Amino acid sequence: MSQRHEVTFRRRAGCGVAIQEAESKVGRAVGAFLHEGELSMFIAMNRFQVIRGEEETFETVWKSRESHLGEVPGFVAFHLLRGPEAEDHTLFASHTVWRSKADFEAWTTSEAFRKAHAGAGGHKPLYLGPPKFEGFEVIQTVTAASAG
């Protein structure tokens, strides 16, 4: 059974090398995961409607926080995504790839989760309403190596 995992990065001037390195690291992580014979992955996403004008602050909060994800069994990769702009907000999503739904659920009750979210809500309002969680079980993954 083949699997599908597609990652698209928005390229910015001057960031080409860093983005290529990130694409390479994600590809190796997913590839190594697939070569281990694992057939299921889980993707956890939180969507944020960030108030216009607060995008840089929101990004800084995420980039400067300690995620503690590296110490959690089953963690594969994390991405902070910036999406389209609307009149009153810019859409962002946190996108975390897990070996399984059970690994994700175990993380949500772990000490690492508590530490990673200890400062949540301690900043001035940056987004409209609460984040919207979406969880997905991966059905198919296609990598550059398997797309042949």
Side-chain angles (χ1 to χ4, degrees), residues 9-75:
F9 291 89
R10 190 172 84 173
R11 297 193 182 271
R12 293 184 183 176
C15 296
V17 172
I19 290 172
Q20 287 174 343
E21 288 175 4
E23 288 172 336
S24 178
K25 287 178 184 177
V26 170
R28 283 193 304 272
V30 171
F33 176 76
L34 294 176
H35 291 303
E36 291 174 2
E38 300 289 342
L39 297 176
S40 66
M41 284 193 294
F42 185 76
I43 296 176
M45 296 181 70
N46 277 298
R47 295 164 55 100
F48 301 85
Q49 293 181 333
V50 176
I51 299 167
R52 292 292 299 268
E54 297 295 339
E55 295 91 346
E56 187 174 326
T57 302
F58 181 80
E59 289 179 21
T60 299
V61 167
W62 279 84
K63 290 176 184 178
S64 63
R65 75 185 189 115
E66 293 289 331
S67 73
H68 301 280
L69 289 169
E71 47 192 80
V72 181
F75 168 72

